[in-house]
Amino acid sequence: MIKEFGIKVVYQGRLKRGEDILQGMTEVMKARGLTGGIISGIGAVSQAHIGYYNAAARVYEEKMLRENLEIVSLKGNISLKDGQPFPHLHIVLSGADYSTVGGHLFGDTLVFAFEYEIIVFEGDPFVRTFDEDTGLFLWSI
Ligand code: ZN
């Protein structure tokens, strides 16, 4: 499936130290009624809560990293789930030894510094519905 969108607007912003990235980005989206687009960002966190989807067991395995880490890359998208703007974010982090770790981003990932861009699409956004084949909420075809 593929859908063509025009670009409506681009936002650039920053979350404050101590903010929860997932919650903060959700608030930005809801305050502006953003329902479709792309999110990207860089910066650093004081702790990170990431996940790996165990496809066989159909559950997210979760990991809490309680340390200061660089955000090498944060990338995600915005669509609708249950009628609400929903951010799906992934993150790659690095530590003092420069090795990287990453995964699906959960709440309780706290900002040390975070700079982001949001590219907002025109038109009707994708809508997430439960997909029996994967056990995930995916864009409906
Ligand atoms: Zn994910």
Side-chain angles (χ1 to χ4, degrees):
M1 74 184 285
I2 188 167
K3 195 170 171 180
E4 184 177 322
F5 295 99
I7 293 173
K8 185 175 179 183
V9 66
V10 178
Y11 292 101
Q12 193 169 40
R14 181 172 81 84
L15 295 182
K16 291 180 182 168
R17 186 177 177 190
E19 283 192 90
D20 179 314
I21 291 179
L22 192 62
Q23 185 182 329
M25 295 314 296
T26 301
E27 286 171 8
V28 167
M29 288 161 38
K30 288 188 173 174
R32 289 163 181 78
L34 311 183
T35 56
I38 300 169
I39 297 175
S40 64
I42 56 173
V45 297
S46 56
Q47 70 174 36
H49 184 191
I50 59 175
Y52 164 78
Y53 187 65
N54 182 329
R58 294 192 167 204
V59 291
Y60 273 100
E61 294 170 9
E62 300 181 26
K63 190 173 185 74
M64 182 67 87
L65 306 168
R66 297 188 190 280
E67 56 185 313
N68 295 310
L69 298 163
E70 290 285 324
I71 302 172
V72 176
S73 180
L74 178 146
K75 183 168 172 50
N77 55 55
I78 302 168
S79 55
L80 282 176
K81 183 180 173 191
D82 300 325
Q84 296 293 315
F86 178 82
H88 180 197
L89 304 176
H90 284 193
I91 193 167
V92 180
L93 302 154
S94 72
D97 66 356
Y98 302 101
S99 65
T100 56
V101 63
H104 180 92
L105 185 77
F106 286 113
D108 291 328
T109 297
L110 303 181
V111 170
F112 182 78
F114 183 61
E115 301 167 341
Y116 64 83
E117 288 81 27
I118 304 174
I119 299 173
V120 182
F121 298 155
E122 292 178 329
D124 294 332
F126 281 125
V127 175
R128 288 189 183 279
T129 55
F130 185 73
D131 178 65
E132 292 283 349
D133 194 37
T134 61
L136 295 166
F137 284 84
L138 300 178
W139 293 334
S140 54
I141 298 174

